[in-house]
Amino acid sequence: MSLPARAGFVALPAAVFAAVLWLIGSFDLPLSVAWVPALGVEFAWRLDGLSALMLLMISGIGTAVFVYAGGYLAGDPQQGRLYVLLTLFMLAMVGCVVADNLVLLFVFWELTSLTSFLLVGFKHYQAGSRKSAQQAFLVTGTGGLFLLAGVILLGQLAGTFSISGVVERVAAMPQTPALTAALLLILVGCFTKSAQFPFHFWLPNAMSAPTPVSAYLHSATMVKLGVYLLARLDPAFGEWALWEWLLKVVGSVTAAWGMVLALRERDLKRILAWSTVATLGTLVMLIGLRGEGATVAVGALLLAHGLYKAPLFFVAGNVDHGAGTRVIDRLGNLRHMMPFTAAAALLAGMSMAGIPTSFGYVVKDAIVGAKSATDVFAFATAAYTVFGAIAVAVAGVAAIRIFWRHPGVNEACEAHEGGPALVIPPIALALTGILLGLFPFFAEELIASASVAMTPGTEAVVAGLALQVGPSLGSLAVSLAIGVAVYAFWDQLHDLFERAGSRIGRVGMASQYERSLQGLPVLAARLTRALQHGRLPGYGALIVGSVTAALVAALLAARGGLEWPAFGMPSVAVAGACLLIVAGSALATALRDRLVLLLAAGLVGYGSALLFLFTGAPDLAFTQFTVETVFVIVVASVLLKLRRLGRAASLDEPAFRPLAALLAVAFAAVITVLLLVATAGPMDSSLADFFGSRAVPDAHGRNVVNVILVDFRALDTLGEIAVVLLSLLAALPLLERLRARARGGEERP
């Protein structure tokens, strides 16, 4: 791919980054264009502090990723495809974070899942890449279905799909079961997207993607979409105890468990991936905390994590590119051969470990302040301690072990540094993290605006953004001490957790996922054998039973608003028609001879025709009479012919089936109740008034019934004519035989 073409792709995220920087201080810019007005769905956009923070990470880190991809895939014929997919993904991310309509956000949400599937499976010729892409798509796609259900339910309950409108209305609504269901559905969607426990296993497996994809999607952008939506909806559900405790518990478990699982890995990218899972859990836990300090910590950690994790992924890619492996046991003392990558790793590792003078330290101070300002249960405190300590150890592995120590032998004897496109992006991002640590006031306005967006109507207290010697030093000292110990005994801890993990893994979520995939064909085969058995009575029973159950559920749900009609005596004609239908039905269930059964079943059709005739539907009555007569004559002729040939037989089914009778009675009772309820209310005359007023000016006819049949319901009438015509065609052979017999040209068969 030529340099100008690569520069053109890089220019797009760079332009978005420059535009967001230019708009800082001019946030809260709403824009709305009607999309599906009947459903209340709009192309609604809104740019506020939280959107701006996400946009800066999407575009800023995106620019670095686009530059890095040019060097990482230099000379690869598939480089253009990667750039196109990354661009589509970036546009989908931009749409997600600026959308002010839940349905619109969901559309872009699913676009990120689709493009992520293509990016994770970029090396589609490798079975591992295809499997990882499938897993990521199935997990996040299934969560997307839950999210869609929650979005629709929430929008209906709130009366709007506007995110800002939902936040305003839901905050004042009572905690009903329907609203709780919407909350839980949305949480499942967010948890799957942001790899929260128990859906955390897909993210490390997605590391089969090229390094630019891992740095962009799985550290800085896509995996934070769930966190972003939780932060958006926190003002609406923040006072709910269920919301608060679910976020605290799930986030804390994810943070602790993710870091523990990092100890099992030897692949540098997978180690970084598990630490990303832990950071996402910390963000979710912080959203569950109350107070302005928590929102400040969320905004600061979102920014800091992107600034140190993306360069560390770049470092892992450079090591793999220059040394031929990412396994930490085979790497060591690379600083002499890869000095610029070593510098980037050291700077990014300082921020990840929370060393003073780095932005990571500022964030740790903000988190400590948020935790001290609210009630945090003991497990959350312990989880964050585990997260902070192992983060120090992970930073040590990425920045010290493979560059400054020599525990292994480099697989490539002559490991080499990459070109400018491979070293400038990680150094630039890591240096930004250090500069913001030295001069945090550069980020204060941005994070304050994001905090206000997460806590509308309040002034953000950006207390954690001042570089100071305060209470966080004590917490930092504890984390550093434990982290250094974990780093020193990394190999021993790895062996311990590997032995324990091999046992736990058999019941872990990843194993359950694999078992579910293996069980799908078995389940499908069993369902096919149970449902596709080839017996028509079974199919009929399934259909009738399903419809009956659905109608019963609908009637029970609306039982408070049901009305019963005033009962009166039907006319003699209507009563006679109904008795004829009942008699035909009863005879059809009792008779065994096929010919006699057919004639008895015809009574149902003739009774229905009489009912249509005496209730004001002569056209339907005529059609029913014609079709029923032709059907009975044609089928009776066939049965008589079979009887003469000795091939006719009576039905071999039992004369009485208790379950079938019970199902028939239940279905009839439900339909009867439904019809009574439907006719109980006043008749809506709007259609009659419309046809009566428009018959003459629109169709130039004074017979309203004829106008409806010929003009307003022309297709329906055409269908009835087609039925009559087909009936004639079916009876035509019989008529020809009768005419031939009348002429004496054919003997009686």
Side-chain angles (χ1 to χ4, degrees):
M1 191 174 181
S2 65
L3 182 61
R6 285 160 47 189
F9 279 107
V10 173
L12 182 60
V16 175
F17 182 73
V20 176
L21 285 178
W22 181 66
L23 287 173
I24 287 181
S26 304
F27 297 142
D28 201 12
L29 303 174
L31 175 66
S32 178
V33 179
W35 182 15
V36 189
L39 299 178
V41 180
E42 300 175 326
F43 280 108
W45 315 96
R46 189 181 188 88
L47 178 62
D48 59 9
L50 183 58
S51 298
L53 176 61
M54 292 294 295
L55 283 174
L56 284 176
M57 289 193 296
I58 293 167
S59 58
I61 296 177
T63 302
V65 167
F66 278 50
V67 172
Y68 183 85
Y72 190 81
L73 291 180
D76 193 313
Q78 298 297 317
Q79 189 181 67
R81 181 164 67 93
L82 179 66
Y83 271 119
V84 170
L85 292 175
L86 286 174
T87 301
L88 292 175
F89 171 79
M90 185 197 72
L91 294 176
M93 280 295 306
V94 170
C96 271
V97 300
V98 300
D100 193 35
N101 185 283
L102 286 171
V103 177
L104 184 62
L105 182 144
F106 172 77
V107 171
F108 286 112
W109 182 288
E110 288 302 285
L111 285 175
T112 63
S113 296
L114 180 59
T115 50
S116 171
F117 168 76
L118 297 174
L119 285 166
V120 173
F122 183 77
K123 299 177 182 178
H124 52 82
Y125 47 85
Q126 296 180 357
S129 294
R130 296 196 300 271
K131 184 176 180 181
S132 298
Q134 178 196 60
Q135 185 183 80
F137 188 71
L138 286 177
V139 175
T140 59
T142 303
L145 295 178
F146 280 88
L147 178 65
L148 176 60
V151 161
I152 293 174
L153 184 57
L154 182 61
Q156 290 179 338
L157 294 173
T160 178
F161 287 103
S162 168
I163 297 177
S164 53
V166 165
V167 168
E168 182 180 350
R169 297 183 186 184
V170 170
M173 292 171 62
Q175 300 181 17
T176 61
L179 200 54
T180 302
L183 179 152
L184 293 174
L185 290 169
I186 290 174
L187 283 180
V188 172
C190 293
F191 287 167
T192 54
K193 198 73 164 182
S194 289
Q196 297 298 290
F197 184 88
F199 312 109
H200 57 291
F201 57 91
W202 72 265
L203 179 55
N205 292 335
M207 292 303 107
S208 59
T211 296
V213 175
S214 302
Y216 197 28
L217 276 66
H218 304 131
S219 69
T221 54
M222 190 193 79
V223 291
K224 290 177 180 172
L225 269 183
V227 174
Y228 168 80
L229 185 55
L230 291 175
R232 273 279 178 236
L233 297 179
D234 186 57
F237 296 105
E239 300 302 322
W240 289 40
L242 178 63
W243 172 273
E244 179 181 350
W245 283 97
L246 276 177
L247 295 190
K248 286 181 180 179
V249 172
V250 173
S252 299
V253 170
T254 305
W257 189 234
M259 277 305 190
V260 168
L261 291 177
L263 295 172
R264 293 186 58 192
E265 301 294 344
R266 311 305 285 175
D267 185 304
L268 183 57
K269 275 184 69 175
R270 289 182 62 88
I271 293 172
L272 296 174
W274 280 119
S275 69
T276 297
V277 170
T279 303
L280 294 171
T282 304
L283 285 165
V284 170
M285 182 268 292
L286 289 172
I287 294 173
L289 300 182
R290 299 299 94 212
E292 294 174 349
T295 59
V296 170
V298 170
L301 184 54
L302 278 172
L303 179 58
H305 179 258
L307 290 176
Y308 69 70
K309 189 56 64 68
L312 287 176
F313 271 111
F314 289 153
V315 166
N318 286 354
V319 169
D320 191 16
H321 189 273
T325 183
R326 298 192 306 260
V327 178
I328 60 176
D329 296 327
R330 303 172 185 172
L331 296 168
N333 210 25
L334 287 175
R335 71 182 186 279
H336 300 296
M337 294 165 282
M338 307 178 69
F340 296 109
T341 300
L346 189 61
L347 295 174
M350 288 176 59
S351 196
M352 182 177 183
I355 302 299
T357 73
S358 71
F359 195 57
Y361 171 73
V362 176
V363 173
K364 286 184 179 293
D365 189 61
I367 295 175
V368 170
K371 290 170 56 182
S372 61
T374 186
D375 181 25
V376 180
F377 63 104
F379 181 77
T381 302
Y384 180 71
T385 302
V386 172
F387 166 75
I390 301 183
V392 173
V394 171
V397 169
I400 304 298
R401 173 170 174 147
I402 64 177
F403 289 102
W404 298 84
R405 292 181 60 199
H406 191 61
V409 178
N410 301 326
E411 206 164 85
C413 298
E414 296 181 1
H416 60 277
E417 187 70 272
L422 292 177
V423 297
I424 292 177
I427 289 178
L429 291 178
L431 270 177
T432 303
I434 298 298
L435 290 175
L436 289 181
L438 295 172
F439 309 105
F441 56 84
F442 284 122
E444 284 185 3
E445 182 179 355
L446 177 64
I447 296 176
S449 299
S451 178
V452 170
M454 287 182 271
T455 54
T458 64
E459 291 296 329
V461 181
V462 198
L465 290 182
L467 187 59
Q468 57 184 356
V469 179
S472 62
L473 279 180
S475 174
L476 175 63
V478 174
S479 296
L480 284 175
I482 300 176
V484 169
V486 172
Y487 170 76
F489 294 96
W490 182 279
D491 294 329
Q492 292 83 351
L493 290 172
H494 166 77
D495 295 338
L496 175 64
F497 282 107
E498 183 62 26
R499 288 193 297 270
S502 61
R503 301 176 182 176
I504 299 174
R506 290 192 291 268
V507 295
M509 289 304 300
S511 299
Q512 298 304 319
Y513 166 83
E514 295 294 338
R515 290 193 185 98
S516 66
L517 287 187
Q518 295 170 2
L520 281 177
V522 178
L523 178 62
R526 291 178 179 176
L527 287 177
T528 301
R529 286 193 295 270
L531 299 177
Q532 303 296 325
H533 43 66
R535 296 188 298 274
L536 186 59
Y539 296 153
L542 180 62
I543 295 172
V544 173
S546 301
V547 173
T548 303
L551 292 177
V552 168
L555 290 171
L556 290 176
R559 63 182 181 274
L562 299 181
E563 298 181 4
W564 297 97
F567 293 96
M569 291 298 296
S571 65
V572 176
V574 172
C578 293
L579 289 175
L580 190 62
I581 294 173
V582 172
S585 302
L587 290 173
T589 58
L591 295 172
R592 299 290 92 192
D593 186 272
R594 282 186 167 89
L595 178 60
V596 182
L597 186 151
L598 171 68
L599 298 175
L603 295 177
V604 177
Y606 287 120
S608 301
L610 290 174
L611 188 63
F612 294 148
L613 181 64
F614 293 120
T615 53
D619 55 330
L620 289 178
F622 171 72
T623 304
Q624 182 69 29
F625 272 124
T626 304
V627 173
E628 195 66 39
T629 300
V630 172
F631 177 77
V632 171
I633 291 175
V634 171
V635 178
S637 301
V638 173
L639 291 176
L640 287 172
K641 182 71 173 180
L642 291 174
R643 176 171 291 182
R644 291 190 184 94
L645 296 174
R647 297 170 61 182
S650 300
L651 297 176
D652 55 359
E653 287 86 357
F656 179 72
R657 293 179 178 178
L659 293 179
L662 180 62
L663 181 59
V665 171
F667 180 69
V670 171
I671 293 296
T672 302
V673 172
L674 185 64
L675 290 175
L676 290 174
V677 170
T679 57
M683 184 64 68
D684 187 356
S685 63
S686 58
L687 284 177
D689 296 338
F690 170 80
F691 290 128
S693 62
R694 305 309 304 174
V696 174
D698 288 353
H700 310 289
R702 296 187 179 278
N703 188 324
V704 180
V705 175
N706 285 346
V707 168
I708 292 174
L709 292 176
V710 177
D711 292 280
F712 292 111
R713 290 177 54 193
L715 290 177
D716 186 35
T717 305
L718 178 63
E720 293 182 0
I721 295 173
V723 170
V724 175
L725 179 61
L726 291 174
S727 302
L728 172 62
L729 294 176
L732 191 59
L734 293 177
L735 296 175
E736 292 290 344
R737 296 286 293 274
L738 290 174
R739 184 164 60 179
R741 286 181 54 195
R743 294 175 179 175
E746 184 177 348
E747 294 187 3
R748 183 176 179 179

